[in-house]
Amino acid sequence: MEFKVPTMAELMAAGEEPEILFWVGCAGSYDERAQKITRDICKILHHVGIKYAVLGTEESCTGDPAKRAGNEFLFQMQAMTNIEVLNAYNIKKIVTGCPHCFNTIKNEYPGLGGSYDVIHHTQLIQDLINEGKLKAEGGESFKGRKITYHDPCYLGRANGIYEAPRKALEVLDAELVEMKRCKSNGLCCGAGGAQMFKEPEKGNKDINVERIDEALQTNPQVIAAGCPFCMTMLSDGIKLKDKEQEVKVLDIAEITARANGL
């Protein structure tokens, strides 16, 4: 499917405004694995006919890793830069591909002068399913396949969003199996709080291995994720266990795109 993703600058030049701004995020821009998820979110937006745009080169890191690592000064500098750009474009609604971006823009930016209606891509997918615009037809069938969903901390425990990703999986007619630790009792993948960018401290077991052990106990064919950091950690765990052939780690957006034949 070939189509062009417009930037805010291009739309502004044409005197148009998008319904929604897609905030791609650092991982979605630079991480090879997460780029696939970015493309699938764009395919979904394109498929349902939502007018959207990205910031392109005008987007920079939300400041989440800096803030979590304790560098409040750097966070505020990064946040203010982004808020100036967003406000200049009169942005009202933002969809993110990353729970960290979602949490930061939704909860931290209002205090610095940036208030927007922010949703995560799983919420967008849930809305589109509810509106009958996404049907899980015409593509790959997940019927009867065993899927377990890993709750990203910044989506689940930090923002209480448990329903949307599961709703996106329920329409597939697959067999949804929950891990022992899920929803408000979910276990971190090990990459939150800026841990993504450093080596783990000494301990008995890496967190992502602990999490993959829990996931594998459900005998899944697919582990569903909703966060690029979780994607990295879970995929690494699967590689370590040598289960790449039997178990696929897929983002909710990728599963939705496949099911709809996009």
Side-chain angles (χ1 to χ4, degrees):
M1 180 163 37
E2 288 285 318
F3 57 89
K4 190 176 182 312
V5 177
T7 62
M8 275 306 301
E10 288 167 349
L11 281 193
M12 274 298 258
E16 298 175 37
E17 272 194 3
E19 281 173 66
I20 207 162
L21 172 80
F22 172 30
W23 185 276
V24 181
C26 300
S29 302
Y30 299 116
D31 181 88
E32 209 176 315
R33 180 67 188 84
Q35 285 171 355
K36 294 177 181 171
I37 303 165
T38 302
R39 283 196 281 270
D40 281 345
I41 294 172
C42 289
K43 283 179 189 172
I44 291 165
L45 288 162
H46 184 77
H47 173 67
V48 298
I50 290 178
K51 194 171 177 186
Y52 71 100
V54 295
L55 283 174
T57 52
E58 290 185 275
E59 181 188 301
S60 66
C61 180
T62 59
D64 165 78
K67 189 176 180 76
R68 304 298 159 227
N71 194 337
E72 182 65 24
F73 176 68
L74 178 58
F75 161 70
Q76 291 205 9
M77 272 175 38
Q78 290 178 305
M80 298 304 277
T81 307
N82 285 323
I83 289 167
E84 273 177 31
V85 172
L86 291 168
N87 289 350
Y89 281 128
N90 196 23
I91 299 294
K92 305 276 193 302
K93 189 168 186 180
I94 299 173
V95 63
T96 73
C98 169
H100 296 258
C101 299
F102 165 77
N103 178 68
T104 305
I105 300 172
K106 179 176 182 281
N107 299 323
E108 317 274 7
Y109 278 21
L112 298 168
S115 293
Y116 320 99
D117 175 14
V118 191
I119 61 167
H120 183 256
H121 68 274
T122 56
Q123 292 175 295
L124 175 79
I125 290 166
Q126 180 189 27
D127 289 344
L128 293 170
I129 289 168
N130 290 346
E131 289 164 19
K133 290 179 181 169
L134 281 177
K135 297 218 163 53
E137 288 167 4
E140 187 181 327
S141 170
F142 286 86
K143 192 177 167 67
R145 279 160 83 178
K146 251 190 174 186
I147 302 179
T148 190
Y149 169 66
H150 164 78
D151 285 287
C153 296
Y154 280 95
L155 195 61
R157 290 181 307 182
N159 287 289
I161 297 163
Y162 303 112
E163 197 49 48
R166 287 172 173 82
K167 175 91 181 177
L169 294 170
E170 278 164 17
V171 296
L172 301 172
D173 213 5
E175 187 189 341
L176 270 183
V177 280
E178 293 286 6
M179 288 182 247
K180 273 187 183 145
R181 284 185 276 194
C182 63
K183 299 187 179 174
S184 57
N185 192 33
L187 180 72
C188 176
C189 71
Q195 297 294 316
M196 182 74 183
F197 306 101
K198 57 180 275 296
E199 291 305 314
E201 285 98 16
K202 283 208 171 6
N204 305 329
K205 193 179 190 182
D206 282 348
I207 295 182
N208 64 325
V209 178
E210 170 83 358
R211 191 55 169 159
I212 278 297
D213 284 341
E214 285 188 0
L216 292 176
Q217 279 170 14
T218 67
N219 288 323
Q221 284 152 302
V222 177
I223 299 173
C227 168
F229 289 3
C230 298
M231 173 58 74
T232 299
M233 301 305 272
L234 297 169
S235 301
D236 284 356
I238 286 294
K239 277 183 195 143
L240 193 78
K241 298 283 177 189
D242 223 2
K243 293 276 187 199
E244 287 173 281
Q245 297 311 309
E246 305 100 282
V247 186
K248 297 280 172 261
V249 185
L250 294 171
D251 189 272
I252 299 279
E254 294 180 298
I255 293 171
T256 305
R258 285 184 183 197
N260 285 274
L262 305 182

